[in-house]
Amino acid sequence: MKEEKRKRLEEKGWVVSDTTHFLQLSPEEELLIALKLALSENLKNKRVEAGMTQSSLAELLGSSQSRVSKAETGEPSVSFDLLLRSLLKLGTTRDELANIIKNASFA
């Protein structure tokens, strides 16, 4: 949000905050969300780079296309295990995983 708009809203009595504050997330919860989103985004990028469809990745994983779709969008029901397994099946190295974790940014 632009600073000018923020000031106008606050002057009119509105409380302007962020998702972390609104949901009362701890730093650990915020980090977990950032990590999951970073892994999800990299999964989609890696799949596209490999020229695979969601269906073909699902077949490789023994899963379903809808589950891969949920994994790529950061759906809360998708486990870190599935995200990591999927990335590893697509050839992601340990160093690449470390960089994904290192560069995960907060929303």
Side-chain angles (χ1 to χ4, degrees):
M1 175 181 299
K2 292 183 179 180
E3 189 60 31
E4 182 181 310
K5 185 174 184 177
R6 175 187 288 268
K7 285 181 183 179
R8 277 195 330 251
L9 289 170
E10 288 173 342
E11 286 170 2
K12 293 183 180 187
W14 290 93
V15 175
V16 181
S17 186
D18 61 13
T19 308
T20 299
H21 182 261
F22 180 76
L23 295 175
Q24 299 178 347
L25 298 176
S26 69
E28 296 82 11
E29 291 167 324
E30 186 179 14
L31 179 58
L32 281 174
I33 292 168
L35 287 172
K36 192 170 216 181
L37 291 175
L39 291 169
S40 296
E41 181 181 333
N42 278 274
L43 173 59
K44 181 176 183 178
N45 293 341
K46 200 77 161 161
R47 175 186 60 78
V48 170
E49 284 175 17
M52 296 180 78
T53 63
Q54 288 179 343
S55 295
S56 60
L57 177 57
E59 189 174 320
L60 182 66
L61 296 169
S63 189
S64 66
Q65 176 276 323
S66 64
R67 199 77 190 135
V68 171
S69 175
K70 288 177 182 181
E72 290 182 352
T73 59
E75 155 69 43
S77 68
V78 174
S79 68
F80 278 96
D81 177 67
L82 178 60
L83 290 168
L84 291 171
R85 239 178 351 108
S86 301
L87 284 163
L88 292 170
K89 281 278 192 184
L90 288 171
T92 306
T93 66
R94 290 180 187 188
D95 287 341
E96 288 171 325
L97 283 175
N99 282 328
I100 292 168
I101 293 167
K102 178 182 171 186
N103 296 320
S105 61
F106 296 104

